[in-house]
Amino acid sequence: QVQLVESGGGLVQPGGSLRLSCAASGIVFRRYTMSWYRQAPGNERELVATITSGGASTNYADSVKGRFTISRDNAKNTVDLQMNSLKPEDTAVYYCHAKLLNTYWGQGTQVTVSS
C-alpha cells in the first residue's frame, strides 16, 4: 500500500518560515520524481516545486523561486519543502506528489500565512 504522509503545516506570520516533510512508503522512493503542489480555496491545484529521483535537478514555480527549497533524502524516503519569507498568498493546502509510471498523492497539509 502506497502512502505519502505530509507534516509540518500550520499557522505562520508573514515573513516567517515553515518546513514541510513528506514520508513515503510502499514505493521504491529513489526511482520517483517528487513534487509539492498546493491548492488555495477557489483555485486549481498548482505545481510548487519538483525534484528528480536522484536529487540532481529541481524546478520551482516563479512565485516561490528564491524563497522555497525542495530537497530529498533517499535513505529516509522523505522529501522536504523549506519555505521562507512566507506571504499571505502562500496560504493553501500543500500536497506531496510522487511520479514514475504511476502517480500518488498525499492527503495534504494546511499552511496558513496570516498576522
Side-chain angles (χ1 to χ4, degrees), residues 85-107:
S85 303
L86 283 161
K87 304 175 182 180
E89 51 264 42
D90 295 318
T91 295
V93 178
Y94 283 70
Y95 296 91
C96 181
H97 177 264
K99 180 179 178 182
L100 187 55
L101 297 178
N102 296 329
T103 62
Y104 301 100
W105 293 93
Q107 82 287 350

Side-chain angles (χ1 to χ4, degrees), residues 9-101:
L11 173 64
V12 64
Q13 292 187 343
S17 298
L18 279 177
R19 188 176 184 89
L20 305 183
S21 187
C22 171
S25 60
I27 59 173
V28 183
F29 181 79
R30 66 182 183 276
R31 296 182 181 175
Y32 280 73
T33 294
M34 299 300 297
S35 300
W36 286 94
Y37 284 74
R38 67 185 180 187
Q39 187 167 20
N43 290 358
E44 293 186 355
R45 193 169 295 190
E46 64 171 348
L47 178 62
V48 175
T50 296
I51 186 165
T52 52
S53 57
S57 180
T58 57
N59 273 299
Y60 298 91
D62 287 344
S63 58
V64 306
K65 279 181 182 176
R67 299 188 298 122
F68 290 12
T69 302
I70 189 171
S71 61
R72 67 189 295 159
D73 186 334
N74 284 348
K76 295 181 179 179
N77 289 2
T78 58
V79 57
D80 292 349
L81 185 69
Q82 177 66 43
M83 306 186 294
N84 299 328
S85 303
L86 283 161
K87 304 175 182 180
E89 51 264 42
D90 295 318
T91 295
V93 178
Y94 283 70
Y95 296 91
C96 181
H97 177 264
K99 180 179 178 182
L100 187 55
L101 297 178

